[in-house]
Amino acid sequence: MTPEGRNKPPVDNRALAQALLDAVGADNVTGACNCMTRLRLTVRAVTVTKEQLKALPGVKGVLFPGEGQIHVVLGPGKAAAVTAAFNELRGAAGTSS
């Protein structure tokens, strides 16, 4: 038996970024940056559940580390690419931290 996630087609970064933006609400996002493995969002209000975000293809995990914060675990390399697409879609320049 193959491990979960194997032999699945790769997830398009822009499509995942759009799905994440739709899920959290474009008007709700006040900031987006990334570390090595996570898209780190700052939002006005957390209006989405971990389960909703984890259901998106390519999302490996979700954390709510503090008020108004959502960390979406995507994996090394993937986080930077999805963050760039996410910020492009929302019309903002992001920074890595």
Side-chain angles (χ1 to χ4, degrees):
M1 188 170 173
T2 62
E4 185 177 329
R6 288 252 169 116
N7 300 324
K8 288 186 178 179
V11 178
D12 176 67
N13 295 329
R14 190 172 179 84
L16 178 54
Q18 185 65 62
L20 288 164
L21 191 60
D22 292 344
V24 298
D27 293 339
N28 191 31
V29 177
T30 59
C33 63
N34 66 279
C35 68
M36 184 66 121
T37 60
R38 299 177 187 177
L39 165 62
R40 297 174 179 222
L41 301 175
T42 304
V43 294
R44 290 182 177 83
V46 176
T47 58
V48 65
T49 67
K50 288 181 181 183
E51 291 75 22
Q52 288 171 308
L53 294 175
K54 283 170 130 178
L56 298 174
V59 174
K60 297 179 182 214
V62 177
L63 299 120
F64 297 138
E67 188 174 332
Q69 297 178 36
I70 303 171
H71 289 191
V72 183
V73 181
L74 301 169
K78 190 79 170 167
V82 172
T83 301
F86 188 92
N87 281 318
E88 182 182 310
L89 289 166
R90 61 183 285 262
T95 59
S96 295
S97 59

